[in-house]
Amino acid sequence: MLDLTTQIGTLTLKNPIMPASGTFSEDLAQVFDLDILGAHVTKTITREKRSGNPTPRVCEVRGSMLNSIGIPSKGLDAFKTNVIPFYKNYDAPLIVSISAGSADEFASLCEDISVPGVAAIEVNISCPNIEEDGKAFAMRPSTTEAVMRKLRNATDLPLWAKLTPNTGETTEVAKAAEEAGADALVVSNTLLAMAIDINTKRPKLGNLMGGLSGPAFKPIALRMAYQCAKSVEIPVIGCGGISTIEDVIEYLIAGASAVQVGTATFINPPIMVKMVEGLESYLQSQGLHSVKQLIGSVVDQEASDGLVFMEAAP
Amino acid sequence: MSNIALDTKPDFELAKPIHEVECTIISNEPVNGEYRLLVLNAPSKILDCEPGQFFHLLCPVSDTLQPYLRRPMSIYGYYPDKGELHFLYKVTGEGTSAIATLKAGDNFNVLGPLGRGFDILPNWQNLLLVARGVGLATLAPLALEARRLNRKLTAICSARSDQFLLSLDYFRELGATVIPLTDEAGTSSVENMHSIIEGLIADEGIDAMYTCGSNRILKLLQTVGKEHNIPGQIALEQQMACGIGMCQCCVRAFNRNGAIVNERVCREGPVFDLQEAIGC
């Protein structure tokens, strides 16, 4: 009997495949049975209603895409009334992604969303499209630790910190989040990027810049997931450019305990179902009986011990 | 299961499933200087469509053309009896250029049917379609449905010149009164269109108006609709990523009860109330 379960802190997921925030909604229930997934992760909500960024909000680049959606949100009350009850129809745990403009607002939202039906809170401390002045908490260890401490004090639910690739201090930020009480790290959000139309000379996104996601981003996020898994004790959830079952397996081998699939669902909406099936086939073909045997099985030997992971000069 | 859960889930259970399927190309040929007709052999489960709905198309990738996201395209025709799905399109960018390379026998991955289609309410007997250029493609299934429901249909079709006027015979075969207007003949001005519509209202009356795309036509029909209290619907376009409501890419602004609201073209649309629509 194959064991696809994985452990994210106190939560046991029936398989390691879940959607990435912002690329999933109740609408996907029209495509497949959402209980096939290991967990459900909502689009980031804010306390207030927000309309999001100007259009165009998405553009494609070779083999990938940029987005500057900007976290449109119907607000906390609408979310509690309409969205949480919908997911009570499913066994898969509901992970609610939240964001706010300041650490105190973040903590107060975190407290107010800690309600029955919510299994864990993913704290989006890294959206490149929302924080004032374009700064995200997760770009520095100090701001990460400060906001995570407030969030930790605001809830007893598991806290997943979603990190950003827009930092030169990946492992320091990861350790700061762990130190401040995060139960897991989601690695990572999108990479700040840009595209310009050469005919009109206008940026292709209404917000000028936006986050790169899709296959082109995968090696970067995979590297970060590997670095984080090496530097912290809490589980790492890999996220970035996962489009095939081979990508899922690669992240698990790198040390991720689970993965989030995002942009690939836009191209191929039932892809996560195929990934769950593909994971079973892979384990069978390798003579493995459990996903846990795969997690962190990267053969890096001594190299990893002495490796300097692109640390900043003092 | 709680009562709250029961109250909220049926909304999605009643919604029809969305299918991702590989179809086979029957033909993909130019129909005039600008437009091509794509005919697919499609399974019946994706042919339970409504006029105005669309499919999200996975474009083929080659050495020179590498569209990444799917491309939304309104349905030109769906024929469950013969198992065919038709799209009428104009090559404008990388996605449609890639679709134009498809040959008979090729596989083609489509997702759908998607979105909310046009309504034809029981008391809407005299229907008016107004379209410019390829916009007519979106309204073609509506003409077929109007015929099935035995409604009287008038179609005002505008284009640059006669050669770009599309499928007028198709509309005539469906029993529609067709009024072609062209830039070349100098008949396609808003003023002329306005007086033609006023004539139709004075003559037999119009119960509902339908259009898509063009800002000029939208504004004209909004004016006429307000003046004569005639309801209408418009099919709108917007760039899309997911096509099923998840990503919030395709929002547009609408006037509703005195406020501006954002709605997803892929999910709340692509068909919207004529008076709520805002041109871009």
Side-chain angles (χ1 to χ4, degrees):
Chain A
M1 185 65 191
L2 286 173
D3 178 12
L4 293 189
T5 63
T6 189
Q7 201 68 31
I8 306 296
T10 54
L11 273 182
T12 304
L13 310 186
K14 71 174 174 184
N15 68 62
I17 293 165
M18 70 182 96
S21 177
T23 63
F24 177 75
S25 69
E26 301 90 296
D27 304 290
L28 200 58
Q30 275 175 267
V31 180
F32 64 86
D33 176 3
L34 300 183
D35 254 339
I36 287 163
L37 301 172
H40 298 153
V41 185
T42 67
K43 180 164 178 68
T44 300
I45 62 155
T46 55
R47 178 181 296 279
E48 295 79 23
K49 279 189 192 171
R50 289 172 51 89
S51 56
N53 283 333
T55 57
R57 292 177 167 186
V58 163
C59 74
E60 63 180 35
V61 292
R62 193 55 38 114
S64 286
M65 63 172 266
L66 311 185
N67 89 80
S68 61
I69 303 290
I71 313 193
S73 170
K74 291 203 161 88
L76 174 64
D77 293 340
F79 184 83
K80 279 162 62 169
T81 309
N82 301 321
V83 181
I84 293 176
F86 172 84
Y87 288 103
K88 284 185 179 164
N89 295 290
Y90 296 96
D91 294 330
L94 178 65
I95 318 301
V96 176
S97 172
I98 63 168
S99 190
S102 75
D104 287 329
E105 290 168 53
F106 222 135
S108 121
L109 177 59
C110 186
E111 185 175 352
D112 291 345
I113 199 66
S114 299
V115 296
V118 178
I121 299 172
E122 181 176 288
V123 289
N124 183 357
I125 55 173
S126 54
C127 180
N129 294 324
I130 181 172
E131 257 70 51
E132 279 78 1
D133 307 322
K135 294 184 186 70
F137 295 103
M139 289 173 76
R140 293 197 194 97
S142 57
T143 45
T144 299
E145 184 166 350
V147 72
M148 288 306 298
R149 285 210 187 280
K150 289 194 170 175
L151 289 163
R152 180 69 285 164
N153 287 333
T155 187
D156 292 327
L157 286 176
L159 277 179
W160 299 2
K162 188 159 181 179
L163 303 190
T164 177
N166 304 310
T167 177
E169 301 173 278
T170 301
T171 56
E172 292 84 348
V173 167
K175 284 181 199 159
E178 178 183 43
E179 183 66 24
D183 297 283
L185 304 178
V186 180
V187 185
S188 72
N189 212 315
T190 55
L191 183 65
L192 195 61
M194 189 173 187
I196 300 170
D197 184 314
I198 61 165
N199 296 311
T200 64
K201 297 182 180 169
R202 291 175 191 276
K204 289 186 178 177
L205 293 175
N207 196 45
L208 306 187
M209 289 177 263
L212 172 69
S213 64
F217 177 52
K218 196 203 76 181
I220 298 169
L222 181 84
R223 175 269 298 173
M224 290 183 59
Y226 171 78
Q227 287 178 302
C228 291
K230 286 279 172 195
S231 12
V232 298
E233 299 299 319
I234 53 177
V236 168
I237 298 162
C239 178
I242 296 173
S243 322
T244 64
I245 180 57
E246 288 78 14
D247 295 337
V248 172
I249 294 162
E250 196 179 354
Y251 268 93
L252 296 174
I253 291 172
S257 297
V259 295
Q260 295 186 345
V261 179
T263 306
T265 298
F266 294 172
I267 314 300
N268 191 346
I271 188 74
M272 288 186 282
V273 180
K274 292 169 194 165
M275 286 171 172
V276 173
E277 294 163 3
L279 185 56
E280 286 185 355
S281 308
Y282 177 79
L283 291 176
Q284 270 165 349
S285 73
Q286 298 294 306
L288 300 172
H289 59 83
S290 165
V291 164
K292 296 187 184 84
Q293 292 174 284
L294 211 49
I295 296 169
S297 60
V298 58
V299 184
D300 51 5
Q301 298 169 324
E302 297 83 19
S304 65
D305 299 332
L307 198 59
V308 175
F309 297 124
M310 191 68 197
E311 284 170 2
Chain B
M1 203 179 280
S2 71
N3 284 332
I4 294 172
L6 285 171
D7 285 345
T8 53
K9 201 171 179 183
D11 210 28
F12 287 86
E13 283 178 339
L14 289 174
K16 288 177 190 167
I18 296 168
H19 303 282
E20 185 228 17
V21 294
E22 293 283 339
C23 295
T24 315
I25 308 287
I26 295 173
S27 62
N28 184 18
E29 301 295 329
V31 292
N32 66 19
E34 281 192 324
Y35 300 107
R36 299 175 71 95
L37 177 64
L38 178 65
V39 178
L40 307 181
N41 188 340
S44 58
K45 66 180 179 183
I46 68 166
L47 296 175
D48 183 13
C49 308
E50 296 168 20
Q53 284 190 303
F54 69 98
F55 275 82
H56 216 19
L57 311 178
L58 190 61
C59 306
V61 170
S62 67
D63 288 347
T64 49
L65 297 168
Q66 302 186 358
Y68 178 64
L69 298 166
R70 284 176 183 262
R71 297 297 194 269
M73 197 176 282
S74 62
I75 302 166
Y76 181 55
Y78 54 97
Y79 308 97
D81 47 332
K82 51 181 179 176
E84 287 184 11
L85 182 60
H86 295 194
F87 296 97
L88 190 70
Y89 65 102
K90 180 177 174 177
V91 174
T92 55
E94 196 169 21
T96 43
S97 296
I99 291 170
T101 66
L102 290 165
K103 306 235 171 346
D106 287 351
N107 284 339
F108 189 42
N109 184 298
V110 307
L111 177 78
L114 298 168
R116 173 179 171 271
F118 291 106
D119 298 314
I120 304 179
L121 298 193
N123 58 335
W124 293 357
Q125 290 297 325
N126 286 331
L127 312 181
L128 173 67
L129 312 187
V130 187
R132 169 89 181 170
V134 78
L136 201 57
T138 306
L139 301 180
L142 182 64
L144 185 60
E145 183 68 2
R147 165 68 174 239
R148 194 181 70 78
L149 296 171
N150 214 14
R151 307 300 165 91
K152 188 173 181 313
L153 186 69
T154 305
I156 298 178
C157 307
S158 145
R160 274 192 285 146
S161 66
D162 283 337
Q163 72 173 114
F164 297 117
L165 278 168
L166 283 162
S167 55
L168 298 186
D169 288 342
Y170 177 75
F171 281 77
R172 287 191 184 106
E173 281 162 24
L174 293 172
T177 304
V178 177
I179 304 172
L181 306 173
T182 65
D183 302 354
E184 206 171 68
T187 52
S188 63
S189 71
V190 171
E191 293 72 24
N192 190 43
M193 206 180 274
H194 195 167
S195 66
I196 289 170
I197 296 172
E198 291 290 350
L200 291 170
I201 294 169
D203 191 17
E204 294 198 34
I206 293 171
D207 299 318
M209 305 183 291
Y210 303 89
T211 188
C212 55
S214 160
N215 274 337
R216 290 193 317 161
I217 296 175
L218 167 62
K219 289 207 176 80
L220 171 60
L221 295 189
Q222 283 177 331
T223 307
V224 170
K226 274 187 194 129
E227 198 179 320
H228 298 279
N229 203 22
I230 301 171
Q233 295 188 321
I234 182 169
L236 292 171
E237 294 188 327
Q238 179 63 290
Q239 186 206 28
M240 292 181 188
C242 78
I244 66 178
M246 302 181 290
C247 73
Q248 309 278 341
C249 167
C250 66
V251 297
R252 283 181 67 139
F254 295 86
N255 275 312
R256 182 165 304 153
N257 305 324
I260 299 286
V261 296
N262 274 334
E263 298 219 298
R264 300 167 294 182
V265 172
C266 75
R267 172 59 65 169
E268 284 81 42
V271 174
F272 292 93
D273 180 82
L274 185 71
Q275 296 297 347
E276 290 185 352
I278 299 173
C280 58

